[in-house]
Structures are given as C-alpha cells and as structure tokens.
Amino acid sequence: MSELLKVDDLRVEYSSGTAINKAVNGVSFSLMAGENIGFVGETGAGKTTTALSIMGLLPNETGKVRSGTIIFQGRDLLTLREQEMRKVRGSQIGMIFQDPMTSLNPVIPVGNQVAEVLKYHAEDNSKEAINKRVDELLNMVGIPPKRKNEFSHQFSGGMRQRIVIAIAIACNPLLLIADEPTTALDVTIQAQVLEMMEELRKKINTSMIMITHDLGIVAQVCDKVAIMYSGEIVEFGSVEDIFEGEQHHPYTVGLFGSIPDLTSSAKRLTPIPGQMTDPSNLPEGCKFHLRCKHSGEECEKLSPASYEIGEGHTVKCHKFKQGGAL
C-alpha cells in the first residue's frame, strides 16, 4: 500500500483573549491508502482539532497551526492557499461532521446541498448529470430520491446523518474523516450507519479517519488506533495491539477500565481519577502524570519520547524506556 497522508509534529493553538490553549502538541502519524485509523480520547484531547487542521477549517481568528506538516498525496496542505485548498476539500478529502442538525442548512433542500458539492468538483457538472448523481447518492445511503426537495428538519437524526454522509462521499474522496458520526444516534441506528459507512468505504475504495469516544466502534471499523491525551498521541498501534496486547500506556488502561464488562461481577466501573489537563496551563513533563498511579519524579519533569514496544506499536511513557514495562 502507498502512503496517502503523513502528519508530522503538528502543533495547533487557540488564542482566547490573553489565554493560549495548546490543543495539539506534536501529533505525528501516517495513513496508507485503503487504511482506517481510529482516534480515541476524552473530550479536549485534540482529535477534532487534528481533523480540522487536515481540512484547513480551523477558525481564522483564533486557531493557528504553529508548526508541522500535513503531506497529502505529496503536497503539504498547510502551504496551500485557500483557493487551492478548496479544490482538495470536498473532492479529495471529505468530512462527516459530528452534529448533522447543525452541519446541514435548514433553509435549503437536502438535495440541493448534496448537489452543491458536485457543482464545484464534478467533471460533468451539467444539471442532468448532477441530478442523476444526487439520486444515486441518496439511494446509496438509503434515502428515497423523491425526498430530495425536503428540508433537514423533516428527517430523523439517523436520516440526517445519512445525508451528511452522502455529501461527504459525493466526489468519491480518497480520504474520509468521520468526526463522531454516531454520537447523537441510538444504538440501533448507530449500527446501521456504521455498517453503511463500511460498505460505502469499500465501494468507493477510500481511506478513513474515525474520531470517536467509543472503543467498540474502533474495534469494528478500524485497522489502526491512535490514543490521544492533551493534544498528544500517547499510544499508537494496530487494533490487535490495542485490544489484545498486554502492554499499554496507563491512559489506555484507564479507558478500558471505564468500559462495562458483561463477564465481570464488579459492582462499579473504574474511572480515571482527576480531569483532563487545562490546555492553557499544561503541566511540565508527562501530560498524564497528575492522573497516573505509576507517576514518578522523571514523569513530573521530562516529557517522554515514544517508545516502540512492538512492530508499529508505540507508547509515550517513561516506564517503557529501554524495554521497561508497567
């Protein structure tokens, strides 16, 4: 497989008055063609900011990329002008946003919103070709084409998400970014949407970045997993490494400990103590040391490197230095 996307040392800050929030702090990863990566972590870990940086959709006044590169098909997206980025966004990279109710325009028929992408990016943008493609896309996501002149409020949450997916895949993008696409859906609809996304991904042969809080979703649809904490990838590996491996970052252990286990007789879950660190006042050393039961003096003073504990499996923790383990 060829490398489709390579992000190296990405650092993003948000400025708010006198405060500077360091949202992404040195994120690096690569994505191969046809591969799926899941980004997992608590709210505020930097998952969505990483995705918005790739899309070039950070807020103009407050969000700034301070360093790093985002190489997509041999080009650094961070060096492109907005006019050039518009040719990439929507055609080569599509994004499914978290809340379909706010990402769809309430005063424009849903069919017109799907057609808008095609008007800008399709090779054949004649009215007949666009109408035909809109009908095809709605059929693909399970929406009757006869409903294309209706508005978003006339659809259920699951159907609105399907329309957002139709917009994202309209031009058969090489990369699809899904930002918590099932958060607002009930379990039954969530399963249907995930199954549909996987079928469509295989059909149009696209790679995917899945952002989610749900480790079950990651296990179902992803090839690799990036565990994020305070703007850093603290553990990265294959699905097998993360779900079946014996050695993990303490934060990953904490995430798994917070999941209900039907085979266990425990009366209570084991939450991670404390709260996510304040991005405007990050601690020295390891960002997780204030919540980690394995923390030592070195953790409080020095930021750890990423140590490889298996082929392609890395952990950012001092305890794994020189072959050590928890």
Side-chain angles (χ1 to χ4, degrees), residues 58-92:
L58 290 172
N60 289 329
E61 299 300 323
T62 57
K64 301 292 181 184
V65 176
R66 292 305 182 190
S67 68
T69 57
I70 301 175
I71 308 298
F72 178 73
Q73 286 201 305
R75 292 194 299 173
D76 186 355
L77 299 182
L78 296 179
T79 65
L80 300 184
R81 295 176 298 175
E82 178 58 25
Q83 188 175 4
E84 296 173 307
M85 192 62 202
R86 285 179 182 173
K87 296 178 181 179
V88 175
R89 191 189 302 130
S91 61
Q92 298 177 50

Side-chain angles (χ1 to χ4, degrees), residues 85-115:
M85 192 62 202
R86 285 179 182 173
K87 296 178 181 179
V88 175
R89 191 189 302 130
S91 61
Q92 298 177 50
I93 305 177
M95 186 164 180
I96 303 169
F97 293 94
Q98 184 171 350
D99 186 355
M101 193 61 189
T102 57
S103 55
L104 290 172
N105 193 318
V107 298
I108 298 178
V110 296
N112 290 11
Q113 296 186 61
V114 179

Side-chain angles (χ1 to χ4, degrees), residues 17 23 42 64-65 69 82 88 111 155 158 163 170 173 176 204 215 226 240-241 247 269 287 295 297 300 312:
E42 293 169 281
K64 301 292 181 184
V65 176
T69 57
E82 178 58 25
V88 175
F155 294 85
I163 294 164
L176 182 64
I204 64 177
L215 285 163
E240 292 77 13
D241 291 332
Q247 295 296 324
L269 298 178
K287 305 297 187 294
S295 176
E297 185 176 349
E300 298 173 6

Side-chain angles (χ1 to χ4, degrees), residues 118-137:
L118 300 167
K119 289 177 183 177
Y120 283 103
H121 298 296
E123 293 182 7
D124 184 355
N125 59 0
S126 64
K127 186 175 181 179
E128 295 77 13
I130 288 176
N131 285 335
K132 181 180 178 182
R133 178 61 175 161
V134 169
D135 290 350
E136 288 177 356
L137 288 164

